[in-house]
Amino acid sequence: QVQLVESGGGLVQAGGSLRLSCAASGRTFSSYAMGWFRQAPGKEREFVGAIRWSGGSTYYAVSVKGRFTISRDNAKNTVYLQMNSLKPEDTAVYYCAAIRSATVVVPATPSRYDYWGQGTQVTVSS
């Protein structure tokens, strides 16, 4: 069983930055992809971005591309979501997730992912 724990959420002003962390334990992730999702009140869970554990290729939703950056630390089994130029529209609970394999295309559909963290709240004030 894979466990994922997010941290780093908080309250920031518009234009500010936050870095979220997702620490993984329980298995190695050589063939995994790690995704970030967010869910605002009354909204569906939406894809933010993802990274392939092997090779480190990244993928982003158009709404965050250029502002958010995903990276990984192999030694710590941790992925990061660096969020810059935050907007009030970014306010949501942010989740990390893991999919066991994504051979061709890393999916943006939440139901495709196998493991989920508990989420961390990000609030951006105007």
Side-chain angles (χ1 to χ4, degrees):
Q1 187 176 24
V2 175
Q3 296 181 14
L4 305 174
V5 180
E6 304 97 333
S7 62
L11 173 64
V12 298
Q13 292 185 339
S17 299
L18 281 174
R19 190 180 74 162
L20 306 184
S21 300
C22 177
S25 62
R27 283 188 176 89
T28 58
F29 291 82
S30 60
S31 64
Y32 281 51
M34 303 292 293
W36 286 97
F37 294 79
R38 65 187 183 185
Q39 188 166 21
K43 302 283 188 177
E44 295 293 320
R45 190 167 298 186
E46 67 171 330
F47 177 76
V48 174
I51 186 168
R52 291 189 181 275
W53 194 257
S54 178
S57 299
T58 53
Y59 312 85
Y60 300 96
V62 67
S63 60
V64 306
K65 192 172 184 179
R67 298 188 297 123
F68 292 8
T69 303
I70 298 172
S71 60
R72 74 194 196 284
D73 186 326
N74 294 344
K76 296 181 178 180
N77 280 331
T78 299
V79 296
Y80 303 95
L81 179 65
Q82 178 67 47
M83 304 184 294
N84 299 325
S85 301
L86 282 162
K87 305 174 181 178
E89 294 77 26
D90 296 316
T91 296
V93 176
Y94 282 71
Y95 300 89
C96 66
I99 184 170
R100 293 180 181 182
S101 64
T103 305
V104 180
V105 178
V106 177
T109 305
S111 62
R112 292 287 308 281
Y113 285 74
D114 301 299
Y115 306 99
W116 290 86
Q118 292 296 113
T120 185
Q121 177 71 46
V122 172
T123 302
V124 184
S125 62
S126 60

